[in-house]
Amino acid sequence: MTSTETTDQDAPRYVRVKIELIAEITDEGALKAAALEAVTADEYLDDEERAQSVEAIEVDPSGSLAHFIDPVALLGEVPGVELASATWESAQTEFDPDDEEWDEYQVEDSAE
C-alpha cells in the first residue's frame, strides 16, 4: 500500500442523504401540546428562539412536527460516522395516496 492510498483511505468522505417523509397528522391538538411542552423544556433555546418556536407551532402543525425531527438520533449510533451538518424543514403538502402521479414522481425523484 502506498502513502497515497493510506491518505485517501483516511480522508473524510461526505455523503448527502436526502429523506422525504409524508406524515399524516391525526391529532393536531396532541401534536401541538407535545411540541409546546418540548419547546418549554428545551434548556438550549434562548428566549428569542423559544418565542420563534412557539410562533411556528401556533401557526402551522408542520411547525409542531419540526420539533421532533432529530438527525442525531438517526446517525448517532452508526459506527464510523459523525454527523457533520443537518438541515430540515417541514411544510404542509398536497398528498393523495391513491393518485398514481404521486408514485411516478417518487420514482423519477429517487433516480436523481
Side-chain angles (χ1 to χ4, degrees), residues 18-34:
K18 286 184 165 185
I19 299 172
E20 182 170 320
L21 304 170
I22 302 292
E24 179 182 3
I25 298 174
T26 58
D27 187 339
E28 188 173 334
L31 174 60
K32 182 177 178 178

Side-chain angles (χ1 to χ4, degrees), residues 10 44 84 102 112:
D10 295 336
Y44 298 106
W102 177 258
E112 291 180 358

Side-chain angles (χ1 to χ4, degrees), residues 47-102:
D47 291 340
E48 184 178 336
E49 292 170 323
R50 192 176 320 280
Q52 290 173 351
S53 294
V54 168
E55 182 180 348
I57 291 167
E58 295 290 345
V59 169
D60 186 347
S62 64
S64 297
L65 184 58
H67 290 284
F68 298 101
I69 307 301
D70 186 357
V72 174
L74 184 63
L75 293 177
E77 299 296 320
V78 178
V81 175
E82 181 177 323
L83 182 62
S85 175
T87 60
W88 65 97
E89 65 179 50
S90 58
Q92 289 188 15
T93 187
E94 296 295 322
F95 175 70
D96 179 0
D98 298 324
D99 186 351
E100 291 179 13
E101 287 183 26
W102 177 258

